[in-house]
Amino acid sequence: MHHDRTVTERRLARVLDLRLRPAVYRESLPLDIAVRPVTGEPVPVSEGIGARYEPVRTGALWGPAWSTTWFRISGSVPAAWAGRQVEAVLDLGFGATQPGFSAEGLVYRPDGSPVKALNPRNAWLPITERAEGGEEFVYYIEAAANPVIFDSGSGEDPFVPTRAGGAPPWLGGETAPDTPLYRLNRMDLAVFDPTVWELVQDLDVLSGLMHQLPEDSTRRWQLTHAVDRALDAIDLQDIGGTAARAREVLAPSLASPAHAGAHRVSAVGHAHIDTAWLWPVRETVRKAARTVSNVTALMDDHPGFRFVMSQAQQLAWLKEQRPEVFARVVEKVSTGQFIPTGSLWIEPDTNLSGGESLVRQFVHGKRFYLEEFGVETEDMWLPDTFGYNAALPQIMKLAGIKWFLTQKISWNATNPFPHHTFWWEGIDGTRIFSHFPPVDSYNGDLSGADIGHTERNFRDKGAANRSLVPFGYGDGGGGPTREMLARAHRLENLEGSARVEMESPEEFFTKAQAEYPDAPVWSGELYLELHRGTLTSQLATKQGNRRSEHLLKEAELWSATAALRTGLPYPYELLDRVWKTVLLHQFHDILPGTSIAWVHREAETVYAETARELGEVIDSAQRALAASGAEGTARETVFNAAPHTRDGIPALGASPRARAARPVEPHPAQGGGFVLDNGLVRITVDTRGLITSAYDLTAGREALAPGTVGNLLQLHQDFPNQWDAWDVDAFYRNTVRDLTDADEVVAVPGGIRVVRGFNASRITQVLRLEENSRRLDVETDVDWRECEKILKAAFPLDIRAAESSAEIPFGHVRRPTHTNTSWDSARFEVCAHRYLHVEEPGWGAALVNDSSYGHDVTRDIRPDGGTTTTVRLSLLRAPLFPDPDCDRGEHRLRYGLVIGAGLRDAVREGYRFNVPERVVSGGAPVEPLVRASGGDVVIEAVKLADDRSGRVIVRLYEAAGGRARTTLRTGFPLVGARITDLLERELTDEPAPAVDGQDIHLTLRPFQILTLCLTPGV
């Protein structure tokens, strides 16, 4: 017999798309439609339903960008449809290429209760499962007109600059013209044919499987013949009457069981909803309501369906703003179908967020789940962020986390990650069982392509046989669909396919760890070889976050101190609220700078209000403390919130100071330029405003490499191949313009001012060197008007450094300065928080900053045989997508070069640079609540316990990567001390710390994080 397989495959595709899918709704009639546009921001549901509506017809245009339009649909079921299943088919004007990002709607009953969402691949609404005929109905649709800013499925460049991401005109923004974006395509009442629908699902699954099997496999040919016979059984003029016959033909093929050793797939319902991205935060609340309404409705009809939601903030919004939707969540959590997961307040960026912020992500996320649902989450679900710092395993463990899941590392542009299931080891040695879904997507649809790729791609074959697939459309797509559940049912035990079972993450991880307890170990950071521009884009957002993090810790420190010393009430509610606000804005498309303009301008406003509120808290506490001393003391008190003593002011305390350290005055240099000299280091600046010498007078050596200059500002072309705000591609280095021309180089009181104009931009820098300091400060004001450029500040150092040490949360990570391997070469832009340090035995230098994260380190051999290690800080970018004005405007930032610095110096100067002293009138010294003496131990947080017991929480860590013995002395009578987890619950498996009066004796492992709960005495 001669048979062309491709003929059958092409026949199947055409019959499915042109005949069978349309035949699911074989009879239809138009609905009555009325409309009510909303001017301005969304209105409450009751207001939307109760408004006056005007008649409208299919084909009508609606929805200026970011607006809301309410539709009322009504009708009655014809008597002729009695006994049939009836649905409405409602196409608001959906785009064809993506499941979300455009016209989205939520359907309500007249009483305001939600039914389900309308999305591009989920446009049906149940009316009645068995019509009696004559039933009348009315529904309302809240339809959002979200402009399509990014369309990866259009076949065109999706990264086209657009003004559509600005706030709308009614909020004073510059969104695209006020014209309708969408057209009502279809608003019909229709007969749903379940038999035809089931046939479509049968053929969909078998078609997907066929295309994944080898062309010469027996199973593929068996399926080809079965499909051929089924298509023959269908009368295309009577599809409804012959669909059952075709299903009978396919039944044996669908009943053939999978091989005993088939790969096992845990299918987890999921909808990745970016908390802000190409839409503002307020729209995310509605996206969450739509998705939750969708999935809880599906759960009514599919008891085995389980769905995870991984951001507590989104559920908190529903509780506050959409209690009727949240009630459905509570109901389905109780049945085990809706599964709170992930343990985080939101899914944050884990490169840029500070250590204490990551702690609070777990604290607030886990507490919400515990308090609202009685659920103790034990996993970290973070599929989509742009790299994972190496402190996370320990932070996870201290929060009670057993398992970690992400997917993003599959986006690596250079090196495929070698494992899908593995133990991830952090800088302190903590290991967490981890999984990367080999489906390479967090928006899976359980198609044949998904399942086939999962099995082929799984890199731990033989040793392990399980993987997880998160399935469901995210970002407004409504989550899983009934078609996906049909696929899952058919793939439970199907020959030729992996076996698919709907499970929870806990069930998957429990089975996977039992199967593969000796999984391989990956040690250190999970560096994403892509999206490196996120370390620099949207400087104002990053500055707001950095400053908010430090202000929060200051507010807690001084409020706790004032509460114990003066009885000032501790601001629990305010601090809780502000922490959650800051955590929200650490979402992985806000803090990295990859959202639309509306999001970032709103974030700047939020950060300004945060600074104001926290400033008032700090000021109130400090004034209470400074005024509590005896009369006749000094007139001013200097507060030092940094964890190291500074100019005689104790760490975490305050005292009068006779005289503050002052900047040294510049004096003319021979041949022109100026010199700053404080007896420790000598800085020479030439007539171009460039540093020609940074000499360590103590060590007797030059910091800069021969023939080079320091603080060299460099401008590069920055036009990546894709993902403009996200990416910096390595070829940016091929073109560089050194900014060596100066408009002005003059001495000013306490420094040297250098002004450079280039293109339409202008940079003003003041170089300062304080008395008794090895740190040269560079205060920088930039009027940045560039387009598709990146600005860097370079320091070529005369150091042969094999590695650089970059600060990450609760420690640092060492990275090679060479490019021996493709892994080393791919790290051409790296993250550092407050410092980046390089050294050779006996001498080093550090670059510290107050708001920048992107760095690069390169190493070159000079003709004289010496080694130049160049450390560069990325200051500003200018991408055009998704915010065409990204970073353009005026900025103020600071960075500094610490000369002759060891790692301990880098840690100390990084904190000092970011936590300024505060001077308050009053005069009373303030003894710190706690002091650490001995070892490289840093006290990161001091606060009152969240349970309002009055106990003091102290979080500290070992910062140098070595063992440390330290004594923690309290500034109050101490009744008891215990070690807790991050949620301030006692760790019973940890030995109680040794307490001697007000001294607590501690031994810390390298990079160990320790949280203590201290009970003050009377």
Side-chain angles (χ1 to χ4, degrees):
M1 177 181 178
H2 302 286
H3 192 105
D4 188 341
R5 170 183 51 78
T6 60
V7 170
T8 299
E9 292 171 359
R10 292 172 59 193
R11 178 190 182 193
L12 171 59
R14 189 162 192 252
V15 170
L16 258 178
D17 289 341
L18 300 184
R19 293 293 184 267
L20 298 186
R21 296 188 199 278
V24 170
Y25 297 107
R26 57 186 178 182
E27 299 177 61
S28 64
L29 54 85
L31 292 163
D32 293 326
I33 319 167
V35 65
R36 186 251 171 159
V38 173
T39 301
E41 289 296 274
V43 299
V45 174
S46 59
E47 184 178 335
I49 289 176
R52 181 174 178 176
Y53 285 75
E54 298 293 335
V56 71
R57 293 186 177 183
T58 303
L61 298 174
W62 67 278
W66 304 120
S67 70
T68 301
T69 299
W70 284 81
F71 294 99
R72 184 182 66 212
I73 59 170
S74 58
S76 62
V77 178
W81 291 0
R84 300 181 184 181
Q85 186 171 340
V86 179
E87 297 182 349
V89 183
L90 308 171
D91 185 343
L92 300 174
F94 302 130
T97 58
Q98 294 189 132
F101 302 5
S102 61
E104 301 170 26
L106 182 53
V107 181
Y108 298 91
R109 300 177 185 90
D111 65 2
S113 59
V115 183
K116 67 179 293 291
L118 300 175
N119 311 99
R121 300 178 192 176
N122 194 341
W124 60 279
L125 174 69
I127 301 298
T128 176
E129 290 189 2
R130 187 175 180 84
E132 296 180 359
E135 297 99 323
E136 295 185 351
F137 57 88
V138 177
Y139 290 98
Y140 294 84
I141 306 169
E142 181 191 24
N146 297 330
V148 178
I149 293 168
F150 170 83
D151 190 351
S152 61
S154 65
E156 302 177 357
D157 184 359
F159 310 104
V160 177
T162 174
R163 292 285 171 190
W170 58 83
L171 294 178
E174 300 179 1
T175 298
D178 191 17
T179 55
L181 296 178
Y182 298 107
R183 181 189 303 272
L184 290 180
N185 287 334
R186 185 179 182 185
M187 308 291 276
D188 287 347
L189 189 67
V191 174
F192 176 83
D193 191 324
T195 304
V196 175
W197 186 85
E198 295 287 359
L199 174 61
V200 168
Q201 309 318 310
D202 292 344
L203 290 169
D204 171 81
V205 167
L206 293 178
S207 173
L209 178 57
M210 285 165 50
H211 285 87
Q212 297 304 308
L213 293 170
E215 293 184 2
D216 58 354
S217 73
T218 300
R219 176 63 167 163
R220 181 161 181 168
W221 279 100
Q222 289 171 344
L223 295 179
T224 301
H225 283 277
V227 167
D228 232 2
R229 294 194 305 273
L231 295 177
D232 290 341
I234 299 170
D235 182 347
L236 296 182
Q237 279 65 54
D238 184 19
I239 293 174
T242 56
R245 185 170 63 196
R247 293 201 71 205
E248 291 175 2
V249 173
L250 295 174
S253 295
L254 289 163
S256 184
H259 188 273
H263 187 69
R264 303 273 181 154
V265 171
S266 295
V268 177
H270 175 241
H272 178 72
I273 304 175
D274 286 299
T275 300
W277 180 29
L278 305 180
W279 48 86
V281 168
R282 65 92 157 143
E283 188 59 21
T284 306
V285 181
R286 301 204 295 176
K287 286 177 181 283
R290 296 179 199 123
T291 297
V292 168
S293 297
N294 249 10
V295 298
T296 52
L298 271 179
M299 290 170 185
D300 292 338
D301 297 328
H302 301 273
F305 168 49
R306 283 181 277 183
F307 175 82
V308 302
M309 200 158 178
S310 55
Q311 302 189 69
Q313 169 69 90
Q314 294 178 5
L315 290 172
W317 279 330
L318 295 183
K319 181 185 178 185
E320 296 160 7
Q321 301 181 39
R322 301 303 306 272
E324 75 284 5
V325 178
F326 188 73
R328 290 281 280 161
V329 173
V330 174
E331 172 194 344
K332 295 304 182 182
V333 169
S334 68
T335 66
Q337 294 172 280
F338 197 107
I339 304 169
T341 194
S343 308
L344 299 161
W345 186 245
I346 52 93
E347 293 182 2
D349 182 284
T350 61
N351 279 326
L352 307 170
S353 299
E356 194 61 25
S357 293
L358 291 171
V359 166
R360 306 306 172 94
Q361 290 284 358
F362 285 107
V363 168
H364 288 292
K366 292 199 65 161
R367 280 204 184 131
F368 182 86
Y369 295 143
L370 280 165
E371 292 169 2
E372 298 299 330
F373 311 119
V375 173
E376 173 88 29
T377 52
E378 296 182 310
D379 66 316
M380 181 176 178
W381 179 282
L382 191 57
D384 177 27
T385 195
F386 312 136
Y388 309 84
N389 76 74
L392 275 171
Q394 183 181 191
I395 298 173
M396 281 190 268
K397 183 176 180 181
L398 291 173
I401 303 302
K402 297 179 180 178
W403 305 301
F404 170 62
L405 178 139
T406 188
Q407 181 272 324
K408 202 68 172 189
I409 296 296
S410 71
W411 288 40
N412 271 6
T414 305
N415 299 285
F417 196 79
H419 315 295
H420 283 109
T421 302
F422 61 101
W423 290 94
W424 181 20
E425 181 179 295
I427 52 173
D428 73 306
T430 298
R431 292 180 177 179
I432 295 289
F433 193 77
S434 305
H435 183 68
F436 291 170
V439 67
D440 287 346
S441 172
Y442 43 80
N443 295 305
D445 60 7
L446 300 183
S447 63
D450 266 3
I451 303 306
H453 181 74
T454 293
E455 181 168 10
R456 288 192 304 274
N457 191 42
F458 186 56
R459 296 195 180 98
D460 299 279
K461 293 184 182 75
N465 198 34
R466 290 182 183 276
S467 63
L468 184 147
V469 172
F471 73 95
Y473 298 130
D475 286 338
T481 65
R482 59 183 177 182
E483 288 79 13
M484 295 179 196
L485 301 187
R487 290 171 184 162
H489 172 68
R490 287 161 174 78
L491 293 171
E492 286 179 2
N493 191 13
L494 181 62
E495 183 185 356
S497 171
R499 299 185 66 166
V500 175
E501 184 175 1
M502 284 190 282
E503 292 189 303
S504 68
E506 179 182 5
E507 289 170 320
F508 163 75
F509 275 110
T510 299
K511 294 175 183 177
Q513 188 171 346
E515 173 188 74
Y516 202 22
D518 57 346
V521 176
W522 180 271
S523 180
E525 68 181 327
L526 294 171
Y527 177 91
L528 178 63
E529 297 173 352
L530 196 73
H531 291 356
R532 303 166 183 90
T534 59
L535 303 177
T536 305
S537 295
Q538 298 284 5
L539 173 63
T541 299
K542 291 174 170 58
Q543 286 184 325
N545 175 74
R546 175 82 69 88
R547 291 167 187 173
S548 296
E549 289 181 324
H550 286 291
L551 285 170
L552 274 163
K553 290 188 286 185
E554 274 200 83
E556 289 181 335
L557 168 67
W558 301 126
S559 294
T561 307
L564 263 67
R565 298 280 164 71
T566 73
L568 187 73
Y570 190 81
Y572 290 102
E573 288 82 3
L574 184 147
L575 290 171
D576 181 83
R577 173 175 54 78
V578 175
W579 261 117
K580 289 174 179 175
T581 298
V582 172
L583 298 180
L584 162 63
H585 288 85
Q586 291 175 343
F587 178 73
H588 64 255
D589 274 310
I590 302 179
L591 183 51
T594 52
S595 288
I596 57 174
W598 186 352
V599 173
H600 289 290
R601 300 303 85 77
E602 190 173 72
E604 291 172 32
T605 301
V606 169
Y607 286 132
E609 176 60 16
T610 295
R612 185 195 66 78
E613 283 195 281
L614 294 176
E616 290 179 356
V617 170
I618 293 167
D619 184 66
S620 175
Q622 290 182 337
R623 287 185 181 279
L625 289 163
S628 64
E631 295 183 5
T633 57
R635 297 171 56 192
E636 289 186 329
T637 301
V638 181
F639 284 79
N640 175 25
H644 305 88
T645 300
R646 173 163 48 191
D647 296 332
I649 311 301
L652 313 179
S655 68
R657 183 175 56 197
R659 187 178 75 87
R662 299 171 182 170
V664 299
E665 297 298 329
H667 59 268
Q670 186 175 1
F674 299 95
V675 173
L676 297 172
D677 188 332
N678 65 1
L680 297 175
V681 297
R682 182 176 61 235
I683 307 297
T684 304
V685 177
D686 69 9
T687 56
R688 300 169 299 171
L690 300 172
I691 300 172
T692 57
S693 174
Y695 196 80
D696 184 340
L697 295 167
T698 305
R701 64 173 289 171
E702 175 63 52
L704 297 180
T708 67
V709 293
N711 194 37
L712 175 63
L713 296 176
Q714 297 180 301
L715 197 65
H716 297 267
Q717 183 69 48
D718 181 20
F719 184 61
N721 288 339
Q722 57 181 352
W723 300 106
D724 298 42
W726 291 258
D727 283 359
V728 170
D729 286 339
F731 54 73
Y732 86 90
R733 289 176 170 172
N734 297 346
T735 56
V736 61
R737 175 184 172 188
D738 293 342
L739 302 180
T740 57
D741 295 334
D743 300 333
E744 180 181 79
V745 181
V746 297
V748 296
I752 304 166
R753 185 173 69 218
V754 181
V755 180
R756 304 185 192 279
F758 56 97
N759 303 334
S761 300
R762 186 177 179 85
I763 299 178
T764 300
Q765 295 189 312
V766 178
L767 283 63
R768 300 188 190 277
L769 179 66
E770 285 192 351
E771 301 168 330
N772 303 315
S773 174
R774 292 182 168 276
R775 190 186 75 215
L776 171 70
D777 293 349
V778 184
E779 301 168 0
T780 304
D781 289 282
V782 187
D783 186 3
W784 180 247
R785 305 294 169 183
E786 302 305 300
C787 176
E788 295 173 339
K789 297 290 194 294
I790 184 170
L791 178 68
K792 285 182 169 269
F795 291 86
L797 303 173
D798 189 12
I799 299 176
R800 181 168 176 77
E803 299 173 316
S804 64
S805 297
E807 187 186 36
I808 64 170
F810 300 112
H812 62 263
V813 63
R814 297 184 184 274
R815 303 182 181 103
T817 57
H818 59 69
T819 55
N820 279 0
T821 71
S822 58
W823 296 87
D824 302 323
S825 179
R827 286 190 290 266
F828 58 81
E829 185 82 358
V830 296
C831 182
H833 281 224
R834 288 166 293 223
Y835 69 81
L836 189 142
H837 178 252
V838 291
E839 67 178 348
E840 60 188 34
W843 197 87
L847 195 61
V848 296
N849 73 86
D850 75 344
S851 55
S852 302
Y853 295 87
H855 296 72
D856 70 273
V857 184
T858 56
R859 195 174 74 181
D860 299 287
I861 304 300
R862 304 188 299 267
D864 66 1
T867 300
T868 300
T869 299
T870 301
V871 179
R872 298 199 304 167
L873 180 66
S874 301
L875 303 180
L876 286 162
R877 297 188 67 213
L880 297 180
F881 181 87
D883 175 6
D885 294 321
C886 175
D887 280 331
R888 288 161 190 77
E890 296 181 356
H891 303 275
R892 173 168 291 180
L893 56 92
R894 298 168 61 239
Y895 55 88
L897 177 67
V898 189
I899 301 163
L903 184 62
R904 181 177 297 171
D905 303 311
V907 174
R908 182 189 65 244
E909 295 300 329
Y911 274 101
R912 287 182 177 177
F913 207 66
N914 282 270
V915 186
E917 297 173 336
R918 297 179 183 269
V919 180
V920 178
S921 299
V926 179
E927 183 185 2
L929 288 185
V930 288
R931 300 173 186 256
S933 59
D936 291 294
V937 173
V938 171
I939 297 175
E940 179 71 358
V942 179
K943 59 188 286 291
L944 293 193
D946 292 341
D947 63 7
R948 306 196 180 195
S949 62
R951 289 189 286 263
V952 177
I953 300 297
V954 179
R955 190 154 18 253
L956 46 84
Y957 69 99
E958 196 287 318
R963 292 191 177 274
R965 292 192 177 190
T966 191
T967 297
L968 195 70
R969 167 160 287 187
T970 65
F972 52 84
L974 181 63
V975 172
R978 53 193 176 94
I979 297 174
T980 74
D981 68 3
L982 301 184
L983 278 74
E984 303 172 12
R985 303 175 298 193
E986 185 172 3
L987 290 174
T988 56
D989 57 344
E990 289 281 348
V995 176
D996 179 12
Q998 292 178 221
D999 290 345
I1000 306 169
H1001 303 291
L1002 302 168
T1003 301
L1004 279 74
R1005 302 184 302 274
F1007 297 123
Q1008 183 180 0
I1009 304 166
L1010 201 60
T1011 303
L1012 297 170
C1013 181
L1014 310 179
T1015 304
V1018 178

